[in-house]
Amino acid sequence: MTTLSAPITISGSGIRIIGTRACTLRRANNTGGNLITITGASCALIGFVIDGNRANQTYTYNIGEVLVQGVKAEVRGLRVNNATSHGIRGAPGALALTIADNDVETVGDFGIFVNDVGGGTDPAYGLCENNTVIDFGISGDSGAISSVGIGIRSVFGGCELRATLCVK
């Protein structure tokens, strides 16, 4: 297990970070902000376990273990556990985002939240498929602001949602 003591930003273009579920990236105690942020174009984060260490964090809404803002980014094959707010979050700027084959469990708010991504008019401009979200909306003392497994909100285009399982 590797403990990340500070947030990481992937800002270059074409960077692919490929791991295995035998490798766990764990948020250090009392670490604020998004844990991993992807802002670069055509970047990918594939195959890790990410532990948000929510028992040792202060709840802040809209913080993600993985935040995607880059064009044509891919988040695939992750297992995200113990997120204080969101497990995986797509934000404005994440055009043609792919979030696929992920398992998200025990999160404070959304397991996966795709918020105003897109930019075209085709609802398949972004893709969220084959993800499993279990035990969401459990932020604790402050109360969950959102109790949704996967949320997609877009006024700029769209994101197609396929073959997904959410269990509360």
Side-chain angles (χ1 to χ4, degrees):
M1 179 180 328
T2 301
T3 299
L4 301 177
S5 59
I8 294 172
T9 298
I10 303 167
S11 58
S13 293
I15 296 172
R16 298 178 62 81
I17 300 176
I18 302 172
T20 172
R21 288 199 178 180
C23 177
T24 299
L25 303 175
R26 184 172 196 257
R27 181 186 285 270
N29 293 349
N30 302 311
T31 306
N34 300 296
L35 186 61
I36 299 171
T37 301
I38 300 171
T39 59
S42 301
C43 291
L45 183 63
I46 301 171
F48 291 94
V49 172
I50 298 174
D51 181 353
N53 189 17
R54 70 187 295 269
N56 296 298
Q57 307 301 322
T58 300
Y59 174 80
T60 303
Y61 178 68
N62 235 11
I63 296 300
E65 300 311 316
V66 178
L67 171 65
V68 183
Q69 297 173 313
V71 174
K72 295 183 181 177
E74 177 182 4
V75 177
R76 183 181 299 274
L78 300 181
R79 178 166 183 83
V80 180
N81 301 316
N82 303 311
T84 303
S85 185
H86 307 315
I88 300 169
R89 184 167 73 102
L95 305 174
L97 167 64
T98 297
I99 300 174
D101 307 317
N102 300 288
D103 296 314
V104 181
E105 187 168 354
T106 314
V107 295
D109 293 299
F110 287 96
I112 298 172
F113 184 30
V114 180
N115 182 22
D116 285 339
V117 302
T121 57
D122 181 353
Y125 201 64
L127 180 62
C128 183
E129 72 173 348
N130 299 328
N131 297 290
T132 300
V133 179
I134 299 172
D135 208 10
F136 49 87
I138 55 168
S139 65
D141 295 338
S142 54
I145 291 176
S146 343
S147 183
V148 178
I150 297 177
I152 296 178
R153 176 176 66 190
S154 183
V155 296
F156 298 117
C159 185
E160 183 176 350
L161 176 65
R162 292 192 283 194
T164 297
L165 172 67
C166 296
V167 178
K168 176 89 169 133

PDB file of all heavy atoms in Angstrom, residues 84-101:
ATOM      1  N   THR A  84     -14.753  10.202   1.156  1.00  0.00           N
ATOM      2  CA  THR A  84     -15.472  11.119   2.027  1.00  0.00           C
ATOM      3  C   THR A  84     -16.687  11.714   1.319  1.00  0.00           C
ATOM      4  O   THR A  84     -17.760  11.798   1.891  1.00  0.00           O
ATOM      5  CB  THR A  84     -14.533  12.247   2.498  1.00  0.00           C
ATOM      6  OG1 THR A  84     -13.419  11.653   3.134  1.00  0.00           O
ATOM      7  CG2 THR A  84     -15.221  13.161   3.481  1.00  0.00           C
ATOM      8  N   SER A  85     -16.542  12.137   0.060  1.00  0.00           N
ATOM      9  CA  SER A  85     -17.665  12.675  -0.716  1.00  0.00           C
ATOM     10  C   SER A  85     -17.877  11.811  -1.955  1.00  0.00           C
ATOM     11  O   SER A  85     -18.535  10.796  -1.880  1.00  0.00           O
ATOM     12  CB  SER A  85     -17.432  14.143  -1.069  1.00  0.00           C
ATOM     13  OG  SER A  85     -18.571  14.693  -1.727  1.00  0.00           O
ATOM     14  N   HIS A  86     -17.290  12.145  -3.103  1.00  0.00           N
ATOM     15  CA  HIS A  86     -17.494  11.385  -4.337  1.00  0.00           C
ATOM     16  C   HIS A  86     -16.328  10.425  -4.585  1.00  0.00           C
ATOM     17  O   HIS A  86     -15.178  10.750  -4.290  1.00  0.00           O
ATOM     18  CB  HIS A  86     -17.600  12.314  -5.544  1.00  0.00           C
ATOM     19  CG  HIS A  86     -18.620  13.387  -5.407  1.00  0.00           C
ATOM     20  ND1 HIS A  86     -19.897  13.164  -4.917  1.00  0.00           N
ATOM     21  CD2 HIS A  86     -18.563  14.707  -5.687  1.00  0.00           C
ATOM     22  CE1 HIS A  86     -20.577  14.291  -4.919  1.00  0.00           C
ATOM     23  NE2 HIS A  86     -19.788  15.251  -5.377  1.00  0.00           N
ATOM     24  N   GLY A  87     -16.646   9.279  -5.203  1.00  0.00           N
ATOM     25  CA  GLY A  87     -15.591   8.346  -5.585  1.00  0.00           C
ATOM     26  C   GLY A  87     -14.868   8.847  -6.826  1.00  0.00           C
ATOM     27  O   GLY A  87     -13.682   9.142  -6.809  1.00  0.00           O
ATOM     28  N   ILE A  88     -15.605   8.951  -7.932  1.00  0.00           N
ATOM     29  CA  ILE A  88     -15.063   9.423  -9.212  1.00  0.00           C
ATOM     30  C   ILE A  88     -15.967  10.557  -9.679  1.00  0.00           C
ATOM     31  O   ILE A  88     -17.184  10.431  -9.669  1.00  0.00           O
ATOM     32  CB  ILE A  88     -15.049   8.302 -10.267  1.00  0.00           C
ATOM     33  CG1 ILE A  88     -14.183   7.129  -9.791  1.00  0.00           C
ATOM     34  CG2 ILE A  88     -14.565   8.833 -11.611  1.00  0.00           C
ATOM     35  CD1 ILE A  88     -14.315   5.879 -10.631  1.00  0.00           C
ATOM     36  N   ARG A  89     -15.347  11.669 -10.108  1.00  0.00           N
ATOM     37  CA  ARG A  89     -16.146  12.833 -10.516  1.00  0.00           C
ATOM     38  C   ARG A  89     -15.614  13.405 -11.812  1.00  0.00           C
ATOM     39  O   ARG A  89     -14.427  13.692 -11.943  1.00  0.00           O
ATOM     40  CB  ARG A  89     -16.106  13.908  -9.433  1.00  0.00           C
ATOM     41  CG  ARG A  89     -16.980  15.109  -9.746  1.00  0.00           C
ATOM     42  CD  ARG A  89     -17.173  16.002  -8.538  1.00  0.00           C
ATOM     43  NE  ARG A  89     -16.014  16.772  -8.183  1.00  0.00           N
ATOM     44  CZ  ARG A  89     -15.850  18.064  -8.468  1.00  0.00           C
ATOM     45  NH1 ARG A  89     -16.776  18.716  -9.110  1.00  0.00           N
ATOM     46  NH2 ARG A  89     -14.760  18.687  -8.078  1.00  0.00           N
ATOM     47  N   GLY A  90     -16.503  13.550 -12.779  1.00  0.00           N
ATOM     48  CA  GLY A  90     -16.183  14.249 -14.013  1.00  0.00           C
ATOM     49  C   GLY A  90     -16.712  15.668 -13.888  1.00  0.00           C
ATOM     50  O   GLY A  90     -17.823  15.874 -13.402  1.00  0.00           O
ATOM     51  N   ALA A  91     -15.928  16.636 -14.273  1.00  0.00           N
ATOM     52  CA  ALA A  91     -16.298  18.043 -14.114  1.00  0.00           C
ATOM     53  C   ALA A  91     -16.203  18.758 -15.460  1.00  0.00           C
ATOM     54  O   ALA A  91     -15.659  18.221 -16.418  1.00  0.00           O
ATOM     55  CB  ALA A  91     -15.377  18.697 -13.086  1.00  0.00           C
ATOM     56  N   PRO A  92     -16.726  19.992 -15.534  1.00  0.00           N
ATOM     57  CA  PRO A  92     -16.639  20.737 -16.786  1.00  0.00           C
ATOM     58  C   PRO A  92     -15.218  20.728 -17.347  1.00  0.00           C
ATOM     59  O   PRO A  92     -14.246  20.865 -16.619  1.00  0.00           O
ATOM     60  CB  PRO A  92     -17.066  22.150 -16.372  1.00  0.00           C
ATOM     61  CG  PRO A  92     -18.020  21.918 -15.239  1.00  0.00           C
ATOM     62  CD  PRO A  92     -17.422  20.754 -14.484  1.00  0.00           C
ATOM     63  N   GLY A  93     -15.133  20.525 -18.648  1.00  0.00           N
ATOM     64  CA  GLY A  93     -13.836  20.408 -19.317  1.00  0.00           C
ATOM     65  C   GLY A  93     -13.525  18.974 -19.690  1.00  0.00           C
ATOM     66  O   GLY A  93     -12.679  18.711 -20.535  1.00  0.00           O
ATOM     67  N   ALA A  94     -14.221  18.025 -19.079  1.00  0.00           N
ATOM     68  CA  ALA A  94     -13.965  16.599 -19.333  1.00  0.00           C
ATOM     69  C   ALA A  94     -14.741  16.135 -20.565  1.00  0.00           C
ATOM     70  O   ALA A  94     -15.651  15.325 -20.482  1.00  0.00           O
ATOM     71  CB  ALA A  94     -14.329  15.777 -18.113  1.00  0.00           C
ATOM     72  N   LEU A  95     -14.404  16.658 -21.731  1.00  0.00           N
ATOM     73  CA  LEU A  95     -15.075  16.286 -22.965  1.00  0.00           C
ATOM     74  C   LEU A  95     -14.695  14.860 -23.351  1.00  0.00           C
ATOM     75  O   LEU A  95     -13.547  14.451 -23.198  1.00  0.00           O
ATOM     76  CB  LEU A  95     -14.672  17.231 -24.093  1.00  0.00           C
ATOM     77  CG  LEU A  95     -14.896  18.716 -23.835  1.00  0.00           C
ATOM     78  CD1 LEU A  95     -14.322  19.547 -24.974  1.00  0.00           C
ATOM     79  CD2 LEU A  95     -16.363  19.012 -23.638  1.00  0.00           C
ATOM     80  N   ALA A  96     -15.658  14.087 -23.842  1.00  0.00           N
ATOM     81  CA  ALA A  96     -15.442  12.708 -24.296  1.00  0.00           C
ATOM     82  C   ALA A  96     -14.822  11.837 -23.201  1.00  0.00           C
ATOM     83  O   ALA A  96     -13.955  11.013 -23.451  1.00  0.00           O
ATOM     84  CB  ALA A  96     -14.596  12.688 -25.565  1.00  0.00           C
ATOM     85  N   LEU A  97     -15.296  12.005 -21.999  1.00  0.00           N
ATOM     86  CA  LEU A  97     -14.822  11.262 -20.831  1.00  0.00           C
ATOM     87  C   LEU A  97     -15.327   9.820 -20.868  1.00  0.00           C
ATOM     88  O   LEU A  97     -16.474   9.578 -21.219  1.00  0.00           O
ATOM     89  CB  LEU A  97     -15.353  11.958 -19.572  1.00  0.00           C
ATOM     90  CG  LEU A  97     -15.266  11.241 -18.236  1.00  0.00           C
ATOM     91  CD1 LEU A  97     -13.808  11.018 -17.840  1.00  0.00           C
ATOM     92  CD2 LEU A  97     -15.996  12.048 -17.172  1.00  0.00           C
ATOM     93  N   THR A  98     -14.462   8.873 -20.486  1.00  0.00           N
ATOM     94  CA  THR A  98     -14.872   7.479 -20.327  1.00  0.00           C
ATOM     95  C   THR A  98     -14.614   7.056 -18.887  1.00  0.00           C
ATOM     96  O   THR A  98     -13.488   7.154 -18.393  1.00  0.00           O
ATOM     97  CB  THR A  98     -14.084   6.545 -21.273  1.00  0.00           C
ATOM     98  OG1 THR A  98     -14.375   6.909 -22.626  1.00  0.00           O
ATOM     99  CG2 THR A  98     -14.471   5.093 -21.047  1.00  0.00           C
ATOM    100  N   ILE A  99     -15.687   6.606 -18.215  1.00  0.00           N
ATOM    101  CA  ILE A  99     -15.590   6.036 -16.868  1.00  0.00           C
ATOM    102  C   ILE A  99     -16.169   4.631 -16.991  1.00  0.00           C
ATOM    103  O   ILE A  99     -17.382   4.476 -17.175  1.00  0.00           O
ATOM    104  CB  ILE A  99     -16.382   6.864 -15.843  1.00  0.00           C
ATOM    105  CG1 ILE A  99     -15.855   8.290 -15.773  1.00  0.00           C
ATOM    106  CG2 ILE A  99     -16.326   6.204 -14.469  1.00  0.00           C
ATOM    107  CD1 ILE A  99     -16.684   9.218 -14.894  1.00  0.00           C
ATOM    108  N   ALA A 100     -15.314   3.607 -16.928  1.00  0.00           N
ATOM    109  CA  ALA A 100     -15.789   2.257 -17.220  1.00  0.00           C
ATOM    110  C   ALA A 100     -15.116   1.202 -16.341  1.00  0.00           C
ATOM    111  O   ALA A 100     -13.958   1.347 -15.956  1.00  0.00           O
ATOM    112  CB  ALA A 100     -15.538   1.935 -18.688  1.00  0.00           C
ATOM    113  N   ASP A 101     -15.898   0.162 -16.047  1.00  0.00           N
ATOM    114  CA  ASP A 101     -15.388  -1.040 -15.370  1.00  0.00           C
ATOM    115  C   ASP A 101     -14.813  -0.753 -13.989  1.00  0.00           C
ATOM    116  O   ASP A 101     -13.853  -1.397 -13.563  1.00  0.00           O
ATOM    117  CB  ASP A 101     -14.331  -1.746 -16.242  1.00  0.00           C
ATOM    118  CG  ASP A 101     -14.847  -2.038 -17.639  1.00  0.00           C
ATOM    119  OD1 ASP A 101     -15.996  -2.484 -17.759  1.00  0.00           O
ATOM    120  OD2 ASP A 101     -14.106  -1.816 -18.617  1.00  0.00           O
TER     121      ASP A 101
END
